[in-house]
Amino acid sequence: MTQEQHEASFLRKIEEEVKIEARDWMPDEYRKTLIRQISQHAHSEIVGMLPEGNWITRAPNLRRKLILLAKVQDEAGHGLYLYSAAETLGITRDELIDQLHTGKAKYSSIFNYPTLTWADMGAIGWLVDGAAIMNQVMLCRTSYGPYARAMVRICKEESFHQRQGFESLLALSRGNEAQRKMLQESVNRWWWPSLMMFGPSDSESTNSEKSLLWKIKRQTNDELRQRFVDATVDQAKILGVTLPDPHLKWNPERGHYDFGEINWDEFWNVVKGNGPCNKQRLDARVKAHERGAWVREAAVAYAEKKKQKAA
Ligand code: BYC
């Protein structure tokens, strides 16, 4: 087939909702965009273990500790499915990890904020996982098969994460005054960074046009952010918390909540590596990788021994 025929056949598959698979022909830009997005997503899951891991030894009781431990382990699993999906596009795990550790690859801005109180564990589940699901449900229908299939399982687990977060905050909301204060203070800190997770506004999003055309993304950053705000306001009422935005108001004409302007300077500052915990997070990842070298060496030695035995 000529280049033009390949391209026409690729676009027809996208149009007809036929998944693109690893061995199929695809434009270089499509492959590059997928590697960028899937690896950023994988890194986010892995770095995302750190703020929560910080509280495992300090969970208030055994039940909460078990839940948190399971949730953090789930994030590790999500990272592994996603690294595997990225590898099907012709990049190695070592290259992916190297890009993270040298600061070449991005990961979600949200994980560069500190977890200061126990309430932050609930707020991450409710708001951060809540925002993540809003974005990830659309990715279950993304055009690249291995990514779409990984996302189906991830979404099931994320929805458990979101609910456990809400339930944990509900317990605080029914607690004493100090607990309710801790809950409100945590929501105040996590609200705006959660809205930033959806990425820049549509007019500033450099990748959206192509990603929407190729059905990698199905909805824009602003559409998903609006859906998240609309869904979250009523949940906040149940928790008895206020959301820290004086402009948040139902707009009957639009049929949506209006909300205030996001601090984009803060967002880009965090994305560029200058957030409150960027350095700490990367240092922790690099250290963990170095300390785990013996495990990788042992696994390779074992695999080679097995191969020799079989030969
Ligand atoms: N943080 O053109 P745009 C989780 C970058 S983990 C940092 O709109 P795109 C969880 C963007 O990469 C959830 N950077 O980009 C884990 C681009 O720069 P490059 C993570 C951001 O890709 C543990 C530039 O800004 N979810 O659930 O079309 C515990 C322009 O943006 C961010 C995913 O990764 C950001 N927030 O749209 C709990 C989902 N936003 O790469 C929970 C998969 C944007 O051109 N990813 N940038 O240099 C996506 O759906 C899309 O990549 C995004 C951005 C919607 C995030």
Side-chain angles (χ1 to χ4, degrees):
M1 274 210 269
T2 64
Q3 176 83 2
E4 284 75 33
Q5 284 167 330
H6 273 308
E7 252 172 53
S9 149
F10 170 81
L11 288 173
R12 202 173 323 114
K13 278 192 201 153
I14 299 277
E15 177 70 26
E16 291 169 0
E17 302 287 338
V18 176
K19 294 276 178 251
I20 307 299
E21 297 297 339
R23 290 202 184 91
D24 292 348
W25 185 92
M26 60 185 86
D28 280 351
E29 272 299 304
Y30 178 82
R31 187 184 298 275
K32 256 171 68 185
T33 295
L34 279 171
I35 291 176
R36 179 187 62 78
Q37 179 169 323
I38 301 172
S39 65
Q40 173 182 306
H41 195 164
H43 299 326
S44 303
E45 299 282 356
I46 298 297
V47 177
M49 295 165 74
L50 296 169
E52 291 178 292
N54 186 29
W55 279 87
I56 290 173
T57 54
R58 291 179 285 165
N61 59 48
L62 183 60
R63 177 171 169 267
R64 294 287 175 203
K65 185 174 174 131
L66 283 172
I67 295 172
L68 186 58
L69 203 56
K71 180 180 190 292
V72 173
Q73 284 175 347
D74 284 351
E75 313 297 359
H78 299 173
L80 297 184
Y81 308 153
L82 290 166
Y83 281 131
S84 301
E87 283 173 300
T88 64
L89 291 155
I91 186 160
T92 67
R93 184 80 58 104
D94 284 346
E95 286 171 297
L96 292 167
I97 302 288
D98 190 60
Q99 287 175 0
L100 172 68
H101 291 177
T102 54
K104 272 189 224 136
K106 294 188 169 73
Y107 58 87
S108 183
S109 49
I110 193 77
F111 302 116
N112 293 306
Y113 290 86
T115 43
L116 304 177
T117 66
W118 170 251
D120 289 357
M121 296 304 95
I124 288 183
W126 177 41
L127 297 174
V128 175
D129 287 276
I133 298 170
M134 208 45 100
N135 165 281
Q136 291 175 6
V137 164
M138 87 170 167
L139 295 175
C140 296
R141 295 191 301 118
T142 193
S143 55
Y144 186 56
Y147 191 21
R149 289 189 287 273
M151 287 316 302
V152 171
R153 185 151 172 192
I154 291 175
C155 279
K156 284 188 183 153
E157 291 174 353
E158 295 287 21
S159 93
F160 149 72
H161 294 173
Q162 196 266 355
R163 282 181 213 183
Q164 69 77 35
F166 187 80
E167 193 267 343
S168 160
L169 296 185
L170 200 58
L172 290 180
S173 78
R174 291 171 180 161
N176 61 28
E177 204 189 322
Q179 287 169 317
R180 285 198 298 276
K181 227 172 122 189
M182 180 169 66
L183 158 63
Q184 181 65 60
E185 188 273 333
S186 174
V187 169
N188 290 349
R189 279 185 290 109
W190 289 95
W191 175 249
W192 288 106
S194 299
L195 294 192
M196 293 174 196
M197 282 177 73
F198 294 94
S201 60
D202 293 350
S203 56
E204 301 292 319
S205 167
T206 41
N207 301 293
S208 281
E209 195 185 336
K210 271 277 164 70
S211 290
L212 289 163
L213 177 77
W214 287 328
K215 297 185 181 168
I216 293 172
K217 280 161 82 162
R218 300 271 177 165
Q219 282 167 295
T220 71
N221 300 356
D222 285 335
E223 281 166 1
L224 291 166
R225 188 167 14 242
Q226 181 72 63
R227 284 190 69 177
F228 174 71
V229 172
D230 290 347
T232 311
V233 172
D234 283 343
Q235 296 169 5
K237 287 182 194 151
I238 297 170
L239 291 175
V241 289
T242 54
L243 296 170
D245 179 358
H247 300 287
L248 193 63
K249 196 166 172 254
W250 178 251
N251 182 331
E253 278 168 35
R254 289 201 313 122
H256 291 291
Y257 281 93
D258 289 337
F259 54 97
E261 183 64 23
I262 288 171
N263 182 344
W264 292 115
D265 288 343
E266 176 182 326
F267 171 73
W268 289 116
N269 201 36
V270 174
V271 171
K272 285 181 189 144
N274 305 316
C277 298
N278 292 61
K279 188 174 172 333
Q280 188 183 326
R281 300 290 184 240
L282 264 195
D283 285 353
R285 278 313 317 151
V286 171
K287 207 157 142 195
H289 190 71
E290 284 166 0
R291 284 191 178 158
W294 69 272
V295 180
R296 293 188 297 279
E297 280 160 21
V300 170
Y302 178 72
E304 272 166 9
K305 246 239 153 87
K306 241 178 132 185
K307 222 158 77 193
Q308 277 168 12
K309 253 191 179 168

